[in-house]
Amino acid sequence: MFIDSHCHLFYEDYQNDLADVLARANDAGVEYFIVPATNHETARQALELAEKYHGIFVAVGFHPLDLKEYTPERLKLIEEMSRHPKVVAIGEIGIDYFYDRSPREVQQEIFSLQIELAVRRDLPVIVHTRDSVQEAIDIVVRHAQNNPGWKKEGKRGVFHCFTGDARQANVLFENRFLVSFPGPVTFKKGEMPDVVKEIGLENIMVETDSPYLTPVPHRGKRNEPSYIPIIAQKIAELLNVPIDEVARTTTANAIALFGLQRDARTLSP
Ligand code: NI
């Protein structure tokens, strides 16, 4: 069994065939889907999907590329939404210095406010970075050290589509964060495969980041969660372990991070 730890299934790309997309994913062994919202409106859309489909769980928050939607009142709305039984994280939050759509100080400030929300609600965070891995690590580590009671027993979050190096990954692991890898791990160019080899399986998850970042050989087409085994197979090859071991470890990591067993029991299919 696999879990797609990051897929944006509320986008228009899926509005005509989401049931088929989920059925194909189930056939491929992908049973649970973590759907990170990008603002208060997509959070509402994601929760509608979670109420309709038993396998879907949600993260709520303001994405760093969507901060034009942010207001303090809407953050209060996000906090209320975070009490929904299918909300398992605060996300997708972070900082993005590639597109730089909002001033960097503003991005850092709203990122911090949302980590404080996660600490208050004792939820994990799903973190987005682009050209900003080290800055984002500094911010989460500061919050983790100031709040030792945050997720006292478990992991505090994940850096999704991790683009840092092995040294940076190890700083995250020491502070009880995971990292996750999507389709680019299958690309010939780029450093992601080498980083996977260096850090190993113990603290990672798999994700598609659907509809973006489609893995080889489907590159250029819409991405979907049924491609998770392609990513897991590539990681298995890089680490020279059976794909079953990748499935077992990444699924256990996602279940523990997002507390899925508790929620799956609470909610009827
Ligand atoms: Ni995303």
Side-chain angles (χ1 to χ4, degrees), residues 6 8 36 63 92 128 160 209 212:
H6 196 114
H8 300 284
H63 192 288
E92 174 173 356
H128 166 103
H160 108 90
D209 200 17
Y212 312 114

Side-chain angles (χ1 to χ4, degrees), residues 195-266:
V195 173
V196 170
K197 278 195 217 169
E198 280 183 75
I199 67 182
L201 198 52
E202 196 185 335
N203 291 296
I204 73 173
M205 297 190 295
V206 286
E207 58 162 308
T208 58
D209 200 17
S210 295
Y212 312 114
L213 303 180
T214 310
V216 173
H218 303 287
R219 219 176 157 180
K221 287 188 259 169
R222 178 186 75 171
N223 200 0
E224 61 171 63
S226 69
Y227 298 158
I228 278 284
I230 299 173
I231 294 162
Q233 178 61 41
K234 179 66 187 189
I235 291 173
E237 285 165 20
L238 290 168
L239 296 176
N240 205 14
V241 297
I243 187 170
D244 288 0
E245 198 176 322
V246 176
R248 229 179 5 254
T249 304
T250 58
T251 297
N253 286 344
I255 285 174
L257 176 66
F258 298 118
L260 292 186
Q261 279 168 322
R262 180 200 64 213
D263 292 323
R265 272 204 304 272
T266 315

